[in-house]
Amino acid sequence: MERISLKVLLLSIMLLCIPFAYSQGVEPGLDFDTAAPLDLSTGSASINGSLTKTFEDNHYYMLTGLKSGVQVSITGSLKGIEPGLTTVSLYSPTRARLIGVDQVIGKNIVKKIELRYLLAYDPANPGENKLYVRIGKSSGSLNYTLDISIEYFFDADSGRDAGATMKDAIQAPSISRDVVTTFRGYLAEKEYGNDYSDYYKLNIDLQPKDEIYIEVKPEPYLMVWASLLTPDGFSLRYNKSESKGEPLTLRVRGDWKTGVNTFYLAIENMGGAGGGGGYTVKVEIHPPKIEDTTATSFAQTQTSPWPFLGQENIRNIIIIISVAIVAIAIIVIIVRRRRRVIRVEEEWGGWSTGESWEGGWEETL
Protein backbone atom coordinates (compact mmCIF):
# COMPACT_ATOMS: atom_id res chain seq x y z
CA MET A 1 0.00 0.00 0.00
CA GLU A 2 2.86 2.34 0.83
CA ARG A 3 4.54 1.48 -2.50
CA ILE A 4 1.35 2.35 -4.40
CA SER A 5 1.04 5.66 -2.56
CA LEU A 6 4.68 6.45 -3.33
CA LYS A 7 4.15 5.74 -7.03
CA VAL A 8 1.04 7.93 -7.10
CA LEU A 9 2.97 10.72 -5.38
CA LEU A 10 5.87 10.51 -7.86
CA LEU A 11 3.46 10.48 -10.82
CA SER A 12 1.65 13.54 -9.47
CA ILE A 13 4.96 15.40 -9.09
CA MET A 14 5.92 14.54 -12.67
CA LEU A 15 2.57 15.76 -14.03
CA LEU A 16 2.94 19.01 -12.13
CA CYS A 17 6.44 19.50 -13.53
CA ILE A 18 5.42 19.03 -17.16
CA PRO A 19 3.57 22.34 -17.61
CA PHE A 20 6.24 24.10 -15.58
CA ALA A 21 8.98 22.79 -17.87
CA TYR A 22 6.92 23.65 -20.96
CA SER A 23 6.33 27.23 -19.82
CA GLN A 24 10.04 27.59 -19.14
CA GLY A 25 10.76 26.34 -22.68
CA VAL A 26 8.65 29.08 -24.30
CA GLU A 27 9.75 32.04 -22.25
CA PRO A 28 9.21 34.92 -24.72
CA GLY A 29 12.04 36.99 -26.13
CA LEU A 30 12.12 40.77 -26.07
CA ASP A 31 13.29 41.15 -29.69
CA PHE A 32 13.92 39.11 -32.85
CA ASP A 33 17.33 37.94 -31.70
CA THR A 34 16.04 36.55 -28.42
CA ALA A 35 12.73 35.18 -29.77
CA ALA A 36 11.65 31.97 -28.09
CA PRO A 37 11.54 28.99 -30.51
CA LEU A 38 8.27 27.11 -31.02
CA ASP A 39 8.51 23.85 -32.96
CA LEU A 40 5.38 23.43 -35.09
CA SER A 41 6.45 20.18 -36.76
CA THR A 42 4.16 18.42 -34.27
CA GLY A 43 1.20 20.45 -35.56
CA SER A 44 0.46 23.07 -32.92
CA ALA A 45 1.64 25.07 -29.91
CA SER A 46 0.09 27.39 -27.35
CA ILE A 47 1.49 30.54 -25.79
CA ASN A 48 0.23 32.87 -23.09
CA GLY A 49 1.69 35.76 -21.21
CA SER A 50 1.32 39.33 -20.02
CA LEU A 51 2.67 42.70 -21.06
CA THR A 52 2.38 44.71 -17.86
CA LYS A 53 5.86 46.07 -17.20
CA THR A 54 6.67 49.66 -18.09
CA PHE A 55 9.64 48.91 -20.33
CA GLU A 56 8.43 45.53 -21.62
CA ASP A 57 6.39 46.38 -24.72
CA ASN A 58 6.92 43.28 -26.92
CA HIS A 59 7.09 39.51 -26.72
CA TYR A 60 8.67 37.59 -29.63
CA TYR A 61 8.36 33.95 -30.63
CA MET A 62 10.13 32.13 -33.49
CA LEU A 63 8.05 29.50 -35.31
CA THR A 64 10.17 26.61 -36.62
CA GLY A 65 9.45 23.33 -38.42
CA LEU A 66 7.70 25.09 -41.33
CA LYS A 67 8.00 24.59 -45.07
CA SER A 68 6.30 25.69 -48.27
CA GLY A 69 2.68 24.66 -48.72
CA VAL A 70 2.01 25.06 -44.99
CA GLN A 71 -0.59 27.50 -43.69
CA VAL A 72 0.08 28.99 -40.27
CA SER A 73 -3.01 29.93 -38.23
CA ILE A 74 -3.01 32.02 -35.06
CA THR A 75 -6.18 32.19 -32.98
CA GLY A 76 -6.86 33.37 -29.47
CA SER A 77 -7.60 36.52 -27.53
CA LEU A 78 -6.15 39.63 -25.91
CA LYS A 79 -7.56 41.02 -22.67
CA GLY A 80 -6.94 44.63 -21.73
CA ILE A 81 -5.72 45.40 -18.24
CA GLU A 82 -5.14 49.09 -18.92
CA PRO A 83 -6.34 50.73 -22.18
CA GLY A 84 -3.78 50.86 -24.99
CA LEU A 85 -2.88 50.17 -28.63
CA THR A 86 -1.91 46.53 -29.23
CA THR A 87 -0.65 44.36 -32.07
CA VAL A 88 -0.31 40.70 -32.98
CA SER A 89 1.87 40.38 -36.10
CA LEU A 90 3.56 37.71 -38.19
CA TYR A 91 7.01 38.37 -39.68
CA SER A 92 9.11 36.75 -42.42
CA PRO A 93 12.60 35.27 -41.86
CA THR A 94 13.99 38.64 -43.03
CA ARG A 95 11.86 40.29 -40.32
CA ALA A 96 9.46 41.98 -42.72
CA ARG A 97 5.88 42.21 -41.49
CA LEU A 98 3.59 39.84 -43.40
CA ILE A 99 0.23 40.25 -41.70
CA GLY A 100 -1.09 41.54 -38.39
CA VAL A 101 -3.94 42.96 -36.30
CA ASP A 102 -3.54 46.40 -34.71
CA GLN A 103 -6.30 47.56 -32.38
CA VAL A 104 -7.07 49.55 -29.26
CA ILE A 105 -8.21 47.45 -26.30
CA GLY A 106 -9.96 48.99 -23.31
CA LYS A 107 -9.80 47.91 -19.72
CA ASN A 108 -11.26 44.43 -19.16
CA ILE A 109 -12.16 44.21 -22.86
CA VAL A 110 -11.43 40.94 -24.70
CA LYS A 111 -10.54 41.02 -28.41
CA LYS A 112 -10.44 37.93 -30.59
CA ILE A 113 -7.41 37.25 -32.79
CA GLU A 114 -7.53 35.32 -36.10
CA LEU A 115 -4.59 35.26 -38.49
CA ARG A 116 -3.59 32.88 -41.27
CA TYR A 117 -0.76 32.84 -43.79
CA LEU A 118 0.09 30.34 -46.57
CA LEU A 119 3.79 29.94 -47.33
CA ALA A 120 4.97 29.76 -50.95
CA TYR A 121 8.01 27.87 -52.20
CA ASP A 122 11.22 29.86 -51.75
CA PRO A 123 14.09 28.70 -54.03
CA ALA A 124 16.60 30.43 -51.76
CA ASN A 125 15.31 28.46 -48.78
CA PRO A 126 13.78 25.23 -50.13
CA GLY A 127 13.90 23.30 -46.86
CA GLU A 128 12.43 24.21 -43.51
CA ASN A 129 11.44 27.80 -42.94
CA LYS A 130 10.74 30.00 -39.93
CA LEU A 131 8.47 32.90 -39.05
CA TYR A 132 8.26 35.31 -36.11
CA VAL A 133 5.26 36.24 -33.98
CA ARG A 134 5.20 39.53 -32.12
CA ILE A 135 2.71 40.50 -29.42
CA GLY A 136 3.14 44.17 -28.58
CA LYS A 137 1.70 47.31 -27.04
CA SER A 138 2.48 51.00 -27.26
CA SER A 139 0.68 51.87 -24.03
CA GLY A 140 -1.45 50.24 -21.37
CA SER A 141 -1.11 46.56 -20.44
CA LEU A 142 -2.67 43.24 -21.46
CA ASN A 143 -2.83 39.47 -21.13
CA TYR A 144 -2.75 37.17 -24.16
CA THR A 145 -3.59 33.55 -24.93
CA LEU A 146 -2.84 32.28 -28.45
CA ASP A 147 -3.00 28.91 -30.20
CA ILE A 148 -0.73 28.43 -33.21
CA SER A 149 -1.40 25.57 -35.62
CA ILE A 150 -0.46 24.50 -39.13
CA GLU A 151 -2.40 23.01 -42.03
CA TYR A 152 -0.92 21.39 -45.13
CA PHE A 153 -1.82 22.61 -48.63
CA PHE A 154 0.68 20.73 -50.77
CA ASP A 155 0.29 20.97 -54.56
CA ALA A 156 -0.26 17.72 -56.49
CA ASP A 157 0.53 15.71 -53.34
CA SER A 158 4.19 16.66 -53.78
CA GLY A 159 4.95 17.46 -50.17
CA ARG A 160 5.56 21.13 -50.94
CA ASP A 161 4.23 24.15 -52.83
CA ALA A 162 4.65 24.37 -56.60
CA GLY A 163 7.22 27.00 -57.51
CA ALA A 164 6.42 30.28 -59.24
CA THR A 165 8.69 29.65 -62.26
CA MET A 166 9.33 26.86 -64.77
CA LYS A 167 12.66 26.20 -63.05
CA ASP A 168 10.90 25.52 -59.73
CA ALA A 169 7.95 23.59 -61.17
CA ILE A 170 6.87 20.34 -59.54
CA GLN A 171 6.26 17.13 -61.45
CA ALA A 172 2.58 16.39 -62.09
CA PRO A 173 1.36 12.79 -62.39
CA SER A 174 2.19 11.14 -65.73
CA ILE A 175 -0.44 11.56 -68.45
CA SER A 176 -1.42 9.03 -71.10
CA ARG A 177 -4.16 8.67 -73.72
CA ASP A 178 -6.28 6.12 -71.87
CA VAL A 179 -6.34 7.73 -68.41
CA VAL A 180 -7.96 10.91 -67.06
CA THR A 181 -5.35 12.51 -64.80
CA THR A 182 -6.39 14.82 -61.94
CA PHE A 183 -4.49 16.65 -59.20
CA ARG A 184 -5.13 19.53 -56.79
CA GLY A 185 -3.35 22.76 -56.03
CA TYR A 186 -3.78 25.82 -53.83
CA LEU A 187 -3.24 29.58 -54.08
CA ALA A 188 -3.33 32.26 -51.40
CA GLU A 189 -5.52 35.32 -51.27
CA LYS A 190 -3.68 38.64 -51.15
CA GLU A 191 -2.46 39.47 -47.62
CA TYR A 192 -3.16 35.90 -46.46
CA GLY A 193 -0.04 34.35 -47.96
CA ASN A 194 2.53 34.79 -50.73
CA ASP A 195 1.57 31.79 -52.89
CA TYR A 196 0.13 33.43 -56.03
CA SER A 197 1.57 31.23 -58.80
CA ASP A 198 2.02 27.48 -59.36
CA TYR A 199 3.99 25.80 -62.15
CA TYR A 200 3.67 22.10 -63.02
CA LYS A 201 5.80 19.98 -65.33
CA LEU A 202 3.62 17.74 -67.51
CA ASN A 203 4.98 14.62 -69.20
CA ILE A 204 2.34 13.60 -71.74
CA ASP A 205 2.42 10.46 -73.90
CA LEU A 206 1.20 11.65 -77.31
CA GLN A 207 0.80 10.67 -80.93
CA PRO A 208 0.57 13.02 -83.93
CA LYS A 209 -2.72 14.98 -84.12
CA ASP A 210 -3.70 14.18 -80.51
CA GLU A 211 -5.52 16.94 -78.62
CA ILE A 212 -4.40 17.96 -75.13
CA TYR A 213 -7.47 18.88 -73.08
CA ILE A 214 -6.94 20.63 -69.73
CA GLU A 215 -9.65 21.81 -67.36
CA VAL A 216 -8.89 23.94 -64.27
CA LYS A 217 -11.77 24.19 -61.81
CA PRO A 218 -11.25 26.68 -58.93
CA GLU A 219 -13.15 26.73 -55.67
CA PRO A 220 -15.97 29.31 -55.22
CA TYR A 221 -13.69 32.00 -53.75
CA LEU A 222 -10.93 31.72 -56.36
CA MET A 223 -10.49 33.05 -59.89
CA VAL A 224 -7.45 31.95 -61.93
CA TRP A 225 -5.77 32.15 -65.30
CA ALA A 226 -3.80 29.31 -66.84
CA SER A 227 -1.29 28.86 -69.66
CA LEU A 228 0.20 25.78 -71.33
CA LEU A 229 3.86 26.35 -72.21
CA THR A 230 6.54 24.59 -74.22
CA PRO A 231 9.89 23.85 -72.53
CA ASP A 232 11.34 27.05 -74.00
CA GLY A 233 8.55 29.14 -72.44
CA PHE A 234 6.37 29.66 -75.53
CA SER A 235 2.65 29.84 -74.66
CA LEU A 236 0.54 27.40 -76.69
CA ARG A 237 -2.78 28.31 -75.10
CA TYR A 238 -4.01 30.81 -72.50
CA ASN A 239 -7.36 31.22 -70.76
CA LYS A 240 -8.83 32.71 -67.58
CA SER A 241 -11.88 32.51 -65.36
CA GLU A 242 -14.49 35.20 -65.95
CA SER A 243 -15.60 35.06 -62.31
CA LYS A 244 -14.72 33.32 -59.06
CA GLY A 245 -15.41 29.61 -59.12
CA GLU A 246 -15.73 29.46 -62.92
CA PRO A 247 -13.69 26.69 -64.61
CA LEU A 248 -11.53 27.27 -67.66
CA THR A 249 -10.27 24.96 -70.41
CA LEU A 250 -7.19 24.73 -72.62
CA ARG A 251 -7.30 22.75 -75.90
CA VAL A 252 -4.25 22.19 -78.08
CA ARG A 253 -3.93 19.85 -81.08
CA GLY A 254 -0.58 19.49 -82.80
CA ASP A 255 1.70 17.38 -84.91
CA TRP A 256 3.44 15.96 -81.83
CA LYS A 257 6.28 13.51 -81.90
CA THR A 258 5.23 9.99 -80.92
CA GLY A 259 6.05 9.33 -77.28
CA VAL A 260 6.45 11.47 -74.17
CA ASN A 261 6.31 15.24 -74.78
CA THR A 262 7.11 17.76 -72.03
CA PHE A 263 5.00 20.84 -71.28
CA TYR A 264 4.55 23.27 -68.40
CA LEU A 265 1.25 24.40 -66.90
CA ALA A 266 1.15 27.78 -65.15
CA ILE A 267 -1.78 28.68 -62.86
CA GLU A 268 -2.01 32.10 -61.18
CA ASN A 269 -4.54 34.27 -59.34
CA MET A 270 -3.39 37.73 -60.46
CA GLY A 271 -1.08 38.38 -57.55
CA GLY A 272 -3.67 37.27 -55.00
CA ALA A 273 -6.37 39.62 -56.33
CA GLY A 274 -8.29 36.62 -57.69
CA GLY A 275 -8.96 35.32 -54.18
CA GLY A 276 -7.66 32.20 -52.50
CA GLY A 277 -8.45 28.52 -52.21
CA GLY A 278 -7.95 25.22 -53.96
CA TYR A 279 -8.35 24.18 -57.57
CA THR A 280 -8.55 20.89 -59.44
CA VAL A 281 -6.70 20.19 -62.68
CA LYS A 282 -7.99 17.54 -65.09
CA VAL A 283 -5.92 16.46 -68.11
CA GLU A 284 -7.18 14.24 -70.95
CA ILE A 285 -5.77 13.18 -74.33
CA HIS A 286 -8.27 13.14 -77.19
CA PRO A 287 -7.10 11.14 -80.26
CA PRO A 288 -7.89 12.57 -83.71
CA LYS A 289 -11.29 11.78 -85.19
CA ILE A 290 -11.51 9.24 -88.04
CA GLU A 291 -12.76 11.85 -90.51
CA ASP A 292 -9.85 14.14 -89.62
CA THR A 293 -7.39 11.35 -90.29
CA THR A 294 -9.07 10.51 -93.62
CA ALA A 295 -9.09 14.16 -94.71
CA THR A 296 -5.41 14.51 -93.82
CA SER A 297 -4.48 11.39 -95.77
CA PHE A 298 -6.51 12.56 -98.80
CA ALA A 299 -4.89 15.99 -98.70
CA GLN A 300 -1.43 14.44 -98.53
CA THR A 301 -2.29 12.23 -101.54
CA GLN A 302 -3.60 15.15 -103.58
CA THR A 303 -0.65 17.43 -102.83
CA SER A 304 1.97 14.88 -103.92
CA PRO A 305 1.50 14.24 -107.70
CA TRP A 306 5.15 13.19 -108.01
CA PRO A 307 5.76 11.03 -104.93
CA PHE A 308 9.06 9.78 -106.36
CA LEU A 309 10.51 13.29 -106.11
CA GLY A 310 9.91 13.71 -102.41
CA GLN A 311 8.55 16.75 -100.53
CA GLU A 312 11.94 18.48 -100.31
CA ASN A 313 12.63 18.23 -104.04
CA ILE A 314 9.14 19.43 -104.91
CA ARG A 315 9.61 22.47 -102.68
CA ASN A 316 12.95 23.26 -104.33
CA ILE A 317 11.41 22.98 -107.83
CA ILE A 318 8.61 25.34 -106.82
CA ILE A 319 11.15 27.85 -105.51
CA ILE A 320 13.19 27.67 -108.74
CA ILE A 321 10.07 28.14 -110.89
CA SER A 322 9.02 31.14 -108.77
CA VAL A 323 12.47 32.74 -109.13
CA ALA A 324 12.40 32.13 -112.91
CA ILE A 325 8.98 33.75 -113.23
CA VAL A 326 10.16 36.81 -111.30
CA ALA A 327 13.32 37.06 -113.47
CA ILE A 328 11.28 36.83 -116.70
CA ALA A 329 8.93 39.53 -115.44
CA ILE A 330 11.88 41.81 -114.68
CA ILE A 331 13.38 41.23 -118.16
CA VAL A 332 10.03 42.01 -119.83
CA ILE A 333 9.77 45.27 -117.89
CA ILE A 334 13.33 46.28 -118.88
CA VAL A 335 12.72 45.50 -122.59
CA ARG A 336 9.48 47.48 -122.59
CA ARG A 337 11.19 50.49 -121.05
CA ARG A 338 14.03 50.39 -123.60
CA ARG A 339 11.55 50.24 -126.50
CA ARG A 340 9.74 53.24 -125.11
CA VAL A 341 12.97 55.22 -124.82
CA ILE A 342 13.92 54.41 -128.44
CA ARG A 343 10.47 55.45 -129.69
CA VAL A 344 10.64 58.77 -127.83
CA GLU A 345 14.12 59.47 -129.23
CA GLU A 346 12.87 58.82 -132.79
CA GLU A 347 9.97 61.21 -132.34
CA TRP A 348 12.16 64.00 -131.02
CA GLY A 349 14.70 63.40 -133.74
CA GLY A 350 12.08 63.82 -136.57
CA TRP A 351 10.80 67.12 -135.18
CA SER A 352 14.29 68.62 -134.76
CA THR A 353 15.40 68.42 -138.48
CA GLY A 354 15.94 72.16 -138.39
CA GLU A 355 19.01 72.33 -140.56
CA SER A 356 17.14 71.83 -143.84
CA TRP A 357 14.35 74.17 -142.62
CA GLU A 358 16.80 76.91 -141.78
CA GLY A 359 18.60 76.40 -145.08
CA GLY A 360 15.38 76.79 -147.01
CA TRP A 361 14.68 80.07 -145.25
CA GLU A 362 18.02 81.49 -146.27
CA GLU A 363 17.47 80.59 -149.90
CA THR A 364 14.17 82.45 -149.88
CA LEU A 365 15.85 85.54 -148.54
Side-chain angles (χ1 to χ4, degrees), residues 296-340:
T296 302
S297 301
F298 178 76
Q300 290 177 350
T301 303
Q302 294 300 313
T303 56
S304 301
W306 305 297
F308 57 88
L309 292 177
Q311 294 294 331
E312 186 69 22
N313 292 331
I314 292 173
R315 184 168 62 249
N316 292 336
I317 291 172
I318 293 173
I319 293 173
I320 293 171
I321 293 173
S322 301
V323 171
I325 292 173
V326 172
I328 292 172
I330 293 173
I331 293 172
V332 169
I333 293 172
I334 293 173
V335 170
R336 287 181 177 178
R337 287 186 177 180
R338 291 190 64 184
R339 287 180 178 178
R340 184 178 179 184

Side-chain angles (χ1 to χ4, degrees), residues 120-127 163-165 167-168:
Y121 178 77
D122 183 5
N125 195 12
T165 63
K167 179 182 177 182
D168 302 316

Side-chain angles (χ1 to χ4, degrees), residues 321-364:
I321 293 173
S322 301
V323 171
I325 292 173
V326 172
I328 292 172
I330 293 173
I331 293 172
V332 169
I333 293 172
I334 293 173
V335 170
R336 287 181 177 178
R337 287 186 177 180
R338 291 190 64 184
R339 287 180 178 178
R340 184 178 179 184
V341 170
I342 292 171
R343 186 178 303 165
V344 170
E345 288 179 351
E346 290 176 350
E347 292 177 356
W348 278 92
W351 181 82
S352 61
T353 55
E355 294 180 357
S356 59
W357 182 76
E358 291 178 357
W361 178 260
E362 290 176 356
E363 291 177 357
T364 306

Side-chain angles (χ1 to χ4, degrees), residues 87-103:
T87 184
V88 177
S89 304
L90 193 65
Y91 292 81
S92 71
T94 59
R95 303 177 183 182
R97 175 166 158 151
L98 301 173
I99 191 173
V101 177
D102 305 309
Q103 56 188 340

Side-chain angles (χ1 to χ4, degrees), residues 117-135:
Y117 198 84
L118 180 60
L119 290 170
Y121 178 77
D122 183 5
N125 195 12
E128 289 194 359
N129 213 327
K130 63 182 179 182
L131 298 175
Y132 293 93
V133 176
R134 169 186 165 229
I135 302 99

Side-chain angles (χ1 to χ4, degrees), residues 13 38 85 94 140 260 347:
I13 293 174
L38 290 176
L85 178 63
T94 59
V260 176
E347 292 177 356

Side-chain angles (χ1 to χ4, degrees), residues 219-344:
E219 291 182 347
Y221 299 103
L222 177 63
M223 180 171 62
V224 299
W225 70 258
S227 182
L228 184 66
L229 309 168
T230 60
D232 59 359
F234 178 76
S235 179
L236 295 173
R237 283 293 184 277
Y238 163 84
N239 203 354
K240 65 178 181 179
S241 303
E242 296 298 331
S243 60
K244 290 185 177 180
E246 181 183 357
L248 62 86
T249 59
L250 303 173
R251 293 174 177 265
V252 185
R253 190 181 297 276
D255 192 14
W256 321 113
K257 67 176 183 179
T258 301
V260 176
N261 291 252
T262 299
F263 304 90
Y264 288 85
L265 177 65
I267 301 176
E268 302 188 12
N269 63 345
M270 289 73 77
Y279 57 85
T280 301
V281 179
K282 180 174 70 173
V283 185
E284 299 178 12
I285 305 304
H286 297 163
K289 298 179 181 179
I290 298 177
E291 53 268 27
D292 294 340
T293 306
T294 304
T296 302
S297 301
F298 178 76
Q300 290 177 350
T301 303
Q302 294 300 313
T303 56
S304 301
W306 305 297
F308 57 88
L309 292 177
Q311 294 294 331
E312 186 69 22
N313 292 331
I314 292 173
R315 184 168 62 249
N316 292 336
I317 291 172
I318 293 173
I319 293 173
I320 293 171
I321 293 173
S322 301
V323 171
I325 292 173
V326 172
I328 292 172
I330 293 173
I331 293 172
V332 169
I333 293 172
I334 293 173
V335 170
R336 287 181 177 178
R337 287 186 177 180
R338 291 190 64 184
R339 287 180 178 178
R340 184 178 179 184
V341 170
I342 292 171
R343 186 178 303 165
V344 170

